[in-house]
Amino acid sequence: MEKELIINSTPTEVEIALLEQSKLVELHHQKTNDNFTVGDIFLGRIKRLMPGLNAAFVDIGHKKDAFLHYTDLGPKLSSLLKYTDQAVKGELNTHKLDDFKLQPEILKTGKVDQVLNKRQHVLVQVLKEPISTKGPRLSCEITIPGRYLVLTPFNNIVAVSKKISNSEERKRLQLLVESIKPKNFGVIVRTAAEGKKVADLHEELTYMLNQWKDIYSQLQKAKPPMKLLSELDKTSSILRDVLSDSFHKIVVNDKQLYSNIKSYLESIAPDAVKIVNLHRSNKPIFDAFGVTRQIKSSFGKTATMSSGAYLVIEHTEAMHVIDVNSGHKMGSNNQEEAVLKVNMEAVDEIARQMRLRDIGGIIIIDFIDMRNQEHKKQLLKAMRGAMKKDRAQHTILPLSKFGLMQITRQRVRPEVKINTAEVCPTCNGTGKINASILLTDDIERDLTFIAQSRPKSKVKLMVHPYVEAFLKKGFPSTQMQWFWRFHKWVRLQTDNDFHLTQYKFFDENDDEIRLNN
């Protein structure tokens, strides 16, 4: 399966689109001033203990205190607290754990006020980003992820990903990692490690240990709240987690980000550097690769499929509900086969929509009713197969007797919501605009002003694609007539996000020429 990563960088955010077979399956946004990302490690301070919830609220610098539940403390909490306390006080001479005495594990069924104290310093990692009115969710089970391995301090366990099915390879990786890992550090071997040599794994392990050393160095005399280790930026973390041999193109529109991605790939996958391309066209990168069109058609309440069948996606406080409708095109002599065909098509689209919108929590799907038990089994198998590519943890239950399928899907960040309904900024929702036939008159009036005020300046006009087609139509076209009248060639460029009567002028430096109308 061919995969493409299209990266649109602006001064305020980075948008990342993951395409499989040219179809949009994931969309990620990262604001350049984002302070809280899943995986960030902080030194926090316990603000409040809530025995009723069996949880604590921790100050890590967010406007809302972060939530730390007892089940997320991890069995090695006592060792973590001892290490943190000694490091802050300057009582540790090294980041290594060879001579560090591990403490007894805490009880799985214990109480938060038995193991934590108010105002206590604690090392925590962001488990979920702030969602809606909730602050970040934290964990005390610290992990430092790499492409092939995940480092877990304060235990000695080596675990190999279950997705590596070859028993010989699993045994090889287990023995190899056990021979190179340092004492009192556990390691999780990721699927990407399959077939890798000891040098590759050792190099990454050294890199992760250096990150742990950085945490140790910053802990010296540290005062909470304080960020100790940032997860990679969204682009790099996606590359680390999803990059595989099936990737054949990474395109980015920013020179600095282009250089950063090449440098990062040189360190994790040198062979993949050649697939990184810099987008040089004046056409917006998401328009050039059809991402904008797919965003417009994929978000909103209704998602239509190629057969004419469609999904209705509703969000309630407690869950998401997806209804499968056949539309008016389901014509077949065999009704049962036709229903199965529509439901099977819906499976792929539902799996894509869950990844694309990052829908989490409980999802209820109302498929078109089927009575054939074999068809129901096929549908369940197809849904599990379609969601194998989903990196979020999920559970899929068979169809209930009411024909409903229940799915739970891990949620670590807010759901992606894009309002694709375009409110006309010209009429502000009144439904009335200036006569569109006068649009060219308005443009010519502004062109006259620009020609008089800056006669030597080059001019670019950005308009809706329909308007561009109109301005270039015929001989002589309106664009050519402007050239004869104003003695300058007005270059035309389109933007799919413009409404029909919107237009903007730009100079040779691509700075907007603002006109006071």
Side-chain angles (χ1 to χ4, degrees), residues 445-456 486 488:
R445 184 194 67 220
D446 291 341
L447 268 176
T448 303
F449 175 78
I450 292 170
Q452 291 170 353
S453 61
R454 38 172 94 193
K456 294 183 180 179
F486 299 111
K488 63 170 69 198

Side-chain angles (χ1 to χ4, degrees), residues 154-262:
F154 310 113
N155 73 55
N156 283 294
I157 297 168
V158 174
V160 181
S161 168
K162 292 177 182 176
K163 290 183 181 178
I164 300 176
S165 53
N166 186 309
S167 59
E168 287 296 316
E169 178 62 6
R170 290 176 64 85
K171 190 174 180 181
R172 181 187 78 89
L173 289 169
Q174 179 97 24
L175 294 171
L176 193 156
V177 172
E178 282 178 353
S179 68
I180 61 173
K181 82 168 190 67
K183 187 180 175 184
N184 290 335
F185 282 96
V187 176
I188 300 167
V189 182
R190 304 182 74 168
T191 313
E194 191 169 6
K196 296 301 172 188
K197 297 176 182 176
V198 64
D200 298 324
L201 303 183
H202 191 269
E203 183 182 352
E204 185 169 87
L205 192 60
T206 304
Y207 173 74
M208 291 189 293
L209 283 168
N210 284 334
Q211 287 185 299
W212 178 252
K213 186 178 180 181
D214 289 342
I215 293 172
Y216 160 77
S217 302
Q218 292 180 77
L219 277 174
Q220 309 290 312
K221 312 294 183 187
K223 292 183 179 179
M226 179 179 175
K227 184 186 280 192
L228 302 174
L229 182 70
S230 280
E231 168 65 308
L232 296 167
D233 61 74
K234 190 86 71 164
T235 310
S236 301
S237 63
I238 288 172
L239 282 173
R240 180 193 66 201
D241 293 342
V242 306
L243 187 66
S244 64
D245 295 339
S246 57
F247 260 90
H248 78 290
K249 190 184 290 180
I250 299 171
V251 189
V252 60
N253 65 344
D254 180 82
K255 285 184 180 177
Q256 183 62 50
L257 194 55
Y258 170 72
S259 301
N260 292 349
I261 290 171
K262 287 189 77 171

Side-chain angles (χ1 to χ4, degrees), residues 23-25 305 311 341-355 367 379 382-383 385-387 389:
K23 206 165 187 180
L24 182 66
V25 293
M305 295 172 279
L311 308 176
K341 188 177 178 183
V342 171
N343 281 343
M344 293 294 259
E345 184 186 15
V347 159
D348 289 327
E349 184 61 21
I350 290 167
R352 184 178 84 97
Q353 286 286 342
M354 283 193 281
R355 286 176 70 189
F367 285 104
L379 192 67
M383 179 58 82
M387 289 192 68
K389 294 172 280 187

